[in-house]
């Protein structure tokens, strides 16, 4: 391209420019075509040795490699490193991070003073003390049928050997004499992935970020000189958009949804200057603010993304998530809820035929009853509470 011939640049420091120098490698900073050109080159260079989705994800200059074992991971990193170096590029090993995901790893985030010895969540009055590990155990984790009765000789499932309490943690990973940092959680583009898997860490991050945004806008959201409808509009645009970020493609379980709803309800009560002892239903408060139930919004976001995937061409990889099956033996117990399971539950609840997703306008009307016949999203001035 003519724009890349004899390209020159200079450095600006304290409003003074240095002498011009030639640009012989790379793309122009700030140019509209630069990201597209970079992606085209990276795709061409990696086509010979890459495995592709879902085990390898290449987003601009960021690379994610997923493997079943540490040895396989080291091998794949060395393959990428050797092939890139042979073409004049290199992988920055100092910025490379390792995250070991294990569904049996207990979460360390626990705000309770008395965590359950099995699931590590906070216990209440309906619990029993284990004489082995000296931890209180939930009724649902105790394995005791019927009512819990105090038993000085009770042993929990871990002390009995029914559940393994052995956690595998990577202490260090060394590749080509470079020690890579091992993380417990990793944040990328606002989404958080933890070593225990699932959506717990992502949900926690969204709630914390939403509270931070809420406190920044507190003078506006609690200003009694502004009507509740307008405050609700600001809250929906600036706070709920933060809470629901990335929710359309997350496999949220019941606990995750409950935590999102609890945080949302707490902010709504704060805006309306209502406390829990006032015994005013949250439905009424949402009606005053002109807000929709956050559970309905989660459902609509999920189904809207499902419709987008359903309308994709069959040879596009993201559509494979609708029918993708993971290889290997299924572990004991009930399998974790998948994103597809949430979608199937939503379709069953709303009694919608998935084939309707081919019609974009009809699909929007089906998943959102408030959608106008003109195809315009309604304003937030009406009663959208449930």
């Amino acid at each position: 391209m003519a724009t890349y011939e004899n390209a020159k640049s200079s450095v600006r420091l304290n409003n003074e420019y240095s002498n011009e120098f030639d640009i012989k490698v790379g793309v122009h900073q700030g140019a509209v075509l630069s990201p597209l050109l970079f992606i085209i080159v990276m795709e061409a260079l990696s086509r010979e040795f890459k495995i592709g989705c879902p085990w390898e994800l290449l987003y601009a200059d960021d690379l994610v490699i997923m493997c079943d074992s540490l040895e396989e991971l080291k091998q794949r990193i060395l393959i990428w490193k050797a092939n890139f170096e042979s073409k004049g590029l290199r992988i920055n090993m100092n910025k490379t991070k390792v995250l070991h995901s294990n569904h049996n790893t207990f979460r360390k985030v626990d705000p309770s003073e008395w965590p359950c010895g099995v699931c590590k969540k906070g216990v209440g009055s309906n619990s029993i003390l284990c004489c082995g590990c000296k931890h209180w155990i939930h009724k649902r984790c105790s394995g005791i049928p019927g009512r819990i009765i105090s038993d000085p000789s009770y042993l929990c499932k871990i002390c009995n050997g029914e559940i393994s309490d052995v956690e595998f943690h990577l202490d260090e990973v060394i590749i080509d004499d470079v020690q890579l940092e091992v993380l417990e959680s990793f944040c990328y583009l606002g989404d958080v992935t933890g070593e225990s898997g699932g959506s717990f860490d992502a949900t926690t991050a969204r709630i914390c970020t939403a509270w931070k945004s809420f406190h920044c806008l507190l003078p506006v959201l609690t200003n009694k000189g502004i009507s509740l409808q307008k405050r609700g509009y600001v809250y929906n645009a600036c706070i709920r958009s933060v809470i629901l970020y990335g929710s359309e493609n997350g496999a949220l379980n019941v606990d995750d949804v409950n935590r999102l709803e609890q945080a949302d309800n707490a902010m709504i009560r704060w805006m309306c200057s209502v406390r829990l002892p006032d015994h005013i239903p949250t439905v009424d408060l949402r009606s005053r603010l002109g807000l929709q139930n956050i559970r309905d919004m989660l459902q609509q976001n999920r189904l809207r993304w499902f419709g987008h995937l359903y309308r994709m061409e069959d040879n596009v990889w993201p559509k494979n998530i609708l029918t993708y099956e993971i290889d290997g033996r299924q572990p004991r117990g009930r399998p974790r809820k998948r994103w597809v399971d949430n979608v199937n539950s939503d379709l069953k609840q709303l009694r919608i035929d998935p084939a309707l997703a081919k019609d974009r306008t009809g699909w929007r009307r089906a998943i959102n009853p408030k959608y106008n016949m003109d195809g315009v999203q309604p304003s937030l001035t009406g009663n959208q509470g449930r």
Side-chain angles (χ1 to χ4, degrees), residues 36 47 65 74 118 120 123 138 174 183 188 197 220 238 246-247 255-256 263 306 360 363 367:
L36 179 60
R47 187 173 297 171
I65 300 177
K74 292 181 178 180
V118 176
K120 306 303 179 183
V123 300
H138 275 128
I174 299 177
L183 304 176
Y188 185 69
V220 175
C238 301
S247 61
D255 292 338
D256 294 331
F306 168 77
R360 186 188 299 269
W363 183 252
I367 65 177

Side-chain angles (χ1 to χ4, degrees), residues 32-174:
V32 177
L33 288 178
S34 294
L36 179 60
L37 294 175
F38 185 84
I39 292 174
I40 292 175
V41 173
M42 292 294 290
E43 175 67 21
L45 294 179
S46 60
R47 187 173 297 171
E48 300 176 358
F49 58 89
K50 72 176 183 178
I51 298 176
C53 295
W55 305 109
E56 293 173 345
L57 305 176
L58 187 60
Y59 182 80
D61 59 344
D62 294 322
L63 172 65
V64 177
I65 300 177
M66 291 176 283
C67 298
D68 293 329
S69 64
L70 180 59
E71 294 302 323
E72 183 182 357
L73 176 64
K74 292 181 178 180
Q75 182 180 2
R76 292 305 307 169
I77 292 179
L78 291 176
I79 290 176
W80 278 82
K81 185 174 182 293
N83 281 274
F84 272 166
E85 288 178 351
S86 65
K87 297 177 174 61
L89 300 176
R90 68 182 181 89
I91 294 180
N92 192 336
M93 300 298 291
N94 294 324
K95 291 185 178 180
T96 303
K97 315 295 182 183
V98 177
L99 175 67
H100 174 252
S101 180
N102 183 6
H103 289 289
N104 295 324
T105 300
F106 294 137
R107 303 187 184 102
K108 297 181 179 180
V109 180
D110 182 24
S112 173
E113 184 179 358
W114 304 100
C116 173
V118 176
C119 67
K120 306 303 179 183
K121 297 181 180 179
V123 300
S125 59
N126 194 19
S127 56
I128 187 171
L129 182 64
C130 174
C131 65
C133 60
K134 304 299 181 182
H135 283 96
W136 290 94
I137 311 297
H138 275 128
K139 166 66 172 65
R140 60 185 178 185
C141 300
S142 64
I144 300 176
R147 184 180 178 182
I148 285 186
I149 301 177
S150 179
D151 184 3
S153 61
Y154 170 78
L155 291 175
C156 66
K157 295 181 179 180
I158 294 180
C159 295
N160 268 332
E162 299 179 29
I163 300 178
S164 175
D165 193 29
V166 177
E167 303 179 20
F168 174 69
H169 291 285
L170 290 176
D171 295 327
E172 62 178 11
V173 177
I174 299 177

Side-chain angles (χ1 to χ4, degrees), residues 228-229 265 268-269 271-272 274 278-293 382-386:
L228 287 175
Q229 294 286 329
N265 291 343
I268 289 175
R269 288 192 298 269
M271 281 194 298
C272 298
V274 173
D278 296 333
H279 298 292
I280 299 178
T282 310
V283 177
D284 296 342
L285 301 181
R286 287 200 302 266
S287 178
R288 298 177 190 178
L289 296 167
L291 294 175
Q292 210 173 353
N293 192 321
N383 182 357
Q384 299 182 21
R386 183 175 68 178

